Amino acid sequence: MIRSRVKMKYLRKPAAIFALLAAALLVLVALVQLSADATLILLDVLVVLLLVPLFVLSCFASLYAESRWRLPLAAVSTVALLVFAWHASVALLDRGLQARTYEGIYKDCHKVWATRGLVLDAAVNDHTAGNSIATVRLAFERGARGAEIDVFYDPELARYVVSHNFPYDLKDGELLSLEKLFREVGGEHFYWLDFKHMRHLGDEAIADAAARLVEIADGLGMAKNRIYVEGATPFHLAHFRDAGFRTIFDIQPLADGHFMTPFVINLYKALFHFGDFDVLGMNYYYRGEPIYGPVTRELLGGVPVFIYHIPDDVQLLRELSAIPEVRVLLDHDHGADRYAVNACGEG
């Protein structure tokens, strides 16, 4: 009994210190909840997930120093607190995302863009077709508002090469540069640059790539807000955000019905928000087993989305076009002319 009292005496002081720390942290949490600032929200998340559990463990260790229930109680309390912290963090994240206006993001009722241009009489899986001046020009002539184009940045050549594959696809027997395609087709349209192998570029190369794209846009008098750069690596994509281009953070979430989908989607949302990117890009997958389905749509809230690899199904394109958060659609069949499908009350 004496031994127990001695232990309690020396454990009460740390518990009191942690109690004061927790009180200060709770004040911080309350202040952060009044703000949608991304940095403060991130700090709040770190505080809740890392420091508060330490306080709980310390309190239970001191209050139940000689109890066989101290470890189970500490474990249960910590798990409960982590669950609460997760939901609180997601709520704060959603609040921050809702505070964004997404001004200047493409918001036209004509949402079906061209996939590598319009490639007539080509197999769906023929990745060498398209990505040419002729196919992109044809898509725009048929009414497409924008076109998705596959590009690589070659550090040795210091240029963008239009190609889906590596080694590069040749167009008319030679490499096609992005600058030439822009010059020949025109800069009054919208472009979705699917940046291949972005993650393989080093810091210097990705900085050069962003600077080179600025030179191309400025040299041709193109508005940067008409060029959307897609990438899956946030730190690389940030270079293009800082250069003034629109950014598509490409994500690979689980199927809509998967039990881990809420966890994965919320992690992607955090990266999207703290990266200050413009749009989320994702694969649609299959009609019967979509990635972008009701669950994912609800979790994303008002975040603008560009969706690719959509089955060539006019009814499905109409259904997706009717969703306000869906801004751009890419038909998986790059030979399908579906540009008349829209959300304008016609087509």
Side-chain angles (χ1 to χ4, degrees):
M1 186 68 178
I2 296 176
R3 182 182 177 187
S4 176
R5 288 178 179 174
V6 170
K7 284 189 175 182
M8 289 293 292
K9 177 181 177 181
Y10 288 102
L11 286 171
R12 281 185 188 126
K13 187 174 181 180
I17 294 174
F18 273 103
L20 291 174
L21 177 60
L25 294 176
L26 290 174
V27 172
L28 176 61
V29 170
L31 291 174
V32 170
Q33 288 176 343
L34 300 176
S35 170
D37 183 80
T39 304
L40 288 178
I41 292 175
L42 179 59
L43 178 60
D44 185 39
V45 171
L46 293 176
V47 163
V48 173
L49 292 180
L50 299 178
L51 296 181
V52 177
L54 293 178
F55 159 74
V56 174
L57 285 172
S58 176
C59 286
F60 275 99
S62 60
L63 293 175
Y64 299 94
E66 291 297 326
S67 172
R68 62 179 179 177
W69 297 103
R70 66 183 185 279
L71 292 180
L73 284 172
V76 170
S77 299
T78 302
V79 170
L81 184 61
L82 288 174
V83 170
F84 168 79
W86 169 257
H87 287 287
S89 301
V90 170
L92 288 170
L93 174 62
D94 286 338
R95 182 170 181 168
L97 289 171
Q98 291 169 6
R100 293 178 60 173
T101 60
Y102 304 107
E103 290 183 3
I105 307 301
Y106 181 83
K107 195 177 182 181
D108 194 284
C109 55
H110 296 87
K111 301 183 179 184
V112 181
W113 287 12
T115 307
R116 306 173 202 150
L118 180 57
V119 187
L120 300 178
D121 303 321
V124 174
N125 59 355
D126 183 4
H127 298 307
T128 63
N131 286 318
S132 69
I133 293 172
T135 59
V136 174
R137 180 181 286 150
L138 179 60
F140 290 147
E141 290 174 354
R142 294 288 185 89
R145 296 296 197 272
E148 179 258 3
I149 300 168
D150 300 311
V151 298
F152 288 84
Y153 180 73
D154 192 310
E156 294 184 3
L157 299 176
R159 65 191 291 197
Y160 283 91
V161 179
V162 180
S163 175
H164 180 276
N165 304 310
F166 184 84
Y168 305 129
D169 302 323
L170 300 180
K171 305 299 176 184
D172 298 323
E174 61 181 21
L175 295 179
L176 174 61
S177 70
L178 181 63
E179 184 175 12
K180 182 177 180 180
L181 186 146
F182 281 163
R183 185 185 300 112
E184 294 293 327
V185 177
E188 69 275 12
H189 305 286
F190 289 92
Y191 294 93
W192 172 344
L193 303 184
D194 183 353
F195 201 124
K196 300 297 184 182
H197 294 182
M198 177 186 283
R199 66 182 183 278
H200 295 160
L201 296 177
D203 292 339
E204 183 176 351
I206 199 67
D208 290 344
R212 178 62 185 138
L213 192 58
V214 170
E215 290 179 3
I216 293 173
D218 290 347
L220 297 175
M222 295 179 64
K224 294 178 186 176
N225 62 2
R226 288 182 171 266
I227 300 175
Y228 286 77
V229 181
E230 174 197 345
T233 48
F235 291 108
H236 285 60
L237 193 60
H239 285 272
F240 296 90
R241 175 204 63 203
D242 295 340
F245 297 100
R246 297 299 184 189
T247 49
I248 307 171
F249 179 38
D250 184 40
I251 63 175
Q252 301 295 325
L254 302 170
D256 190 66
H258 197 281
F259 77 97
M260 287 292 290
T261 291
F263 178 77
V264 174
I265 288 292
N266 282 316
L267 289 180
Y268 276 130
K269 280 163 53 180
L271 291 171
F272 169 79
H273 182 51
F274 296 124
D276 196 25
F277 302 123
D278 296 304
V279 177
L280 280 177
M282 69 177 67
N283 181 2
Y284 179 80
Y285 207 49
Y286 301 114
R287 187 174 178 83
E289 189 184 358
I291 289 176
Y292 185 77
V295 175
T296 298
R297 177 185 171 186
E298 183 178 358
L299 288 168
L300 291 177
V303 175
V305 181
F306 284 15
I307 305 177
Y308 54 88
H309 290 174
I310 303 170
D312 184 32
D313 181 330
V314 173
Q315 182 58 35
L316 176 59
L317 289 172
R318 287 193 178 120
E319 292 172 5
L320 293 172
S321 292
I323 300 173
E325 295 78 24
V326 174
R327 303 296 181 88
V328 173
L329 302 168
L330 293 183
D331 196 309
H332 184 55
D333 184 353
H334 45 271
D337 179 351
R338 307 299 183 198
Y339 315 130
V341 177
N342 58 67
C344 311
E346 60 183 79

